[in-house]
Amino acid sequence: MSTATLSAPDSGAVPRIDYLFLGAALAATGILVVLVLLDGQPASAALILGGFGLGVAFLKAEFSYTASWRRFLTRGEAGGLIGGLIVIAICALAVVPVAALNKNFGGAIAPLGPSLIIGAFVFGIGMQLANGCGSGTLYTVGGGSGRMLVTLAFFIVGSVFGSLSLPSTLALGGVDPVLASDYLGPWGGLLATLLSIALAAGVMIAMARKRGANWRPSRSYIIGGTVIGVLCIGVFFAGGHPWSVTYGYTIWGAKIFAALGFDFSNAGFWQWPGNKQALTSSVLSDTSSLTDFGMIFGAMAAAAATNRYAANAWPPLKSLLAAAIGGLLCGWGARIGFGCNIGAFIGGVASGSLHGWIWFLAALPGCMIGIRLRPAFGLSRD
Amino acid sequence: MRKTYMAVVLLALVAIVGNHLTSPSSGRAVSPEDFAGACAPCGAPCPSKK
């Protein structure tokens, strides 16, 4: 995500607190926390607050998967990707062994097959046009980017379309998830996961060096990645699963469509037990929605605490068109590919699931196409 | 853009609270992968189960 779309203060400028939006963000978070606590759900409150912390961390570190992938593909710079691997390595320390040893916890797993590959590839195109992935969209929307409001709206619509397509793409075939701990045990699985992350880092560094580019993550990415990794562990313990983002979008969209009269009773995706229940249950009963809401309001609070909020003008129409198309592709791709950078890549790899790496390798060529398309919408390739 | 943002925040908050108050709560927050037969975060079944 380009930070140019956020209203970050100039270096050296005196921070100006936007009390209206800071108060709105804190009040909204407080209301949601009180609602779930009234239901006797402290874990749900922890998920909201964990999301809030993630929103602050992402915004303050300007932690962007989309921009990191773009810098790697266009300039060979690997620092951003290495920062992302820091998040995964920290998260894996808890997820792999705990999910293997405690039946109350589970890792992020997914079938391997055409659906995963097609979804990740399409998501890669979309995230470069949208200028944000799942988490990037949340924290930039929270940070005050009007362009990303458009992305989020179309991301939600795209993910509902994806939910309708998923049974068909699953019918193309595939094999069951491959989880390192199933073959190597909890500690062997963790070792294999950390080795795979180290191998990936080594390849990225070698490729950066070959192109004469910088491979070292910036200080903000090291600190931000560490904080985000620790918060990921907190979200895992509160929710019982690794952090995920885009399933919340699907639920929000389906609830809106249902309220408008759309009938999901013949849609295969919405007959699966968890989805059927989620469609009729409170949105605050869905783990990913809880962290999503927290993340938006956390980023909003962090942005409003340092600058006049959402003070930028709307971007050109072509840029908004890219946001809409990118959002649709991201939404559809995330549902077909079992998640975004967070749910599929970070969650998958941090769980020791092979689908995380396959998702990454399939999304990269999609990103390359997305980067080539960016100039047509007035967006820079860098 | 500030007015748009404030309107979106208020609308979203009303929608969330309204949905929560008018819908059954599942108790503990869940994810589709918590349900039997789920093979992915979205609750998709395993290919071997077909």
Side-chain angles (χ1 to χ4, degrees), chain A residues 284-326:
Chain A
L284 298 182
S285 296
D286 169 50
T287 53
S288 58
S289 293
L290 292 167
T291 46
D292 287 354
F293 294 142
M295 195 167 173
I296 290 173
F297 292 129
M300 182 179 287
T306 53
N307 203 13
R308 182 173 163 78
Y309 187 79
N312 291 347
W314 287 94
L317 197 60
K318 277 206 297 190
S319 177
L320 292 177
L321 183 61
I325 295 171

Side-chain angles (χ1 to χ4, degrees), chain A residues 68-149:
Chain A
S68 297
W69 288 45
R70 193 162 62 242
R71 288 185 197 123
F72 179 70
L73 291 169
T74 57
R75 296 186 231 159
E77 293 176 7
L81 289 183
I82 303 290
L85 294 181
I86 292 173
V87 175
I88 301 176
I90 292 172
C91 196
L93 293 173
V95 175
V96 176
V98 173
L101 293 168
N102 189 326
K103 65 179 175 58
N104 292 321
F105 293 87
I109 58 170
L112 313 178
S115 189
L116 173 66
I117 294 169
I118 294 168
F121 177 78
V122 170
F123 187 91
I125 300 172
M127 83 175 188
Q128 293 302 337
L129 292 179
N131 223 16
C133 57
S135 58
T137 298
L138 283 179
Y139 92 80
T140 49
V141 162
S145 165
R147 182 184 188 281
M148 299 309 284
L149 271 180

Side-chain angles (χ1 to χ4, degrees), chain A residues 68 94 163 211-212 236 242 282 352 363 374:
Chain A
S68 297
S163 75
R211 293 180 66 175
F236 169 70
S282 162
R374 284 170 60 91

Side-chain angles (χ1 to χ4, degrees), chain B:
Chain B
M1 194 184 295
R2 288 169 60 82
K3 286 179 182 171
T4 304
Y5 250 93
M6 189 46 79
V8 169
V9 168
L10 289 174
L11 191 65
L13 196 58
V14 167
I16 294 166
V17 173
N19 177 262
H20 179 70
L21 296 178
T22 57
S23 306
S25 171
S26 65
R28 184 180 71 88
V30 292
S31 159
E33 59 204 302
D34 293 321
F35 291 76
C39 209
C42 64
C46 289
S48 63
K49 297 285 165 58
K50 289 181 180 173

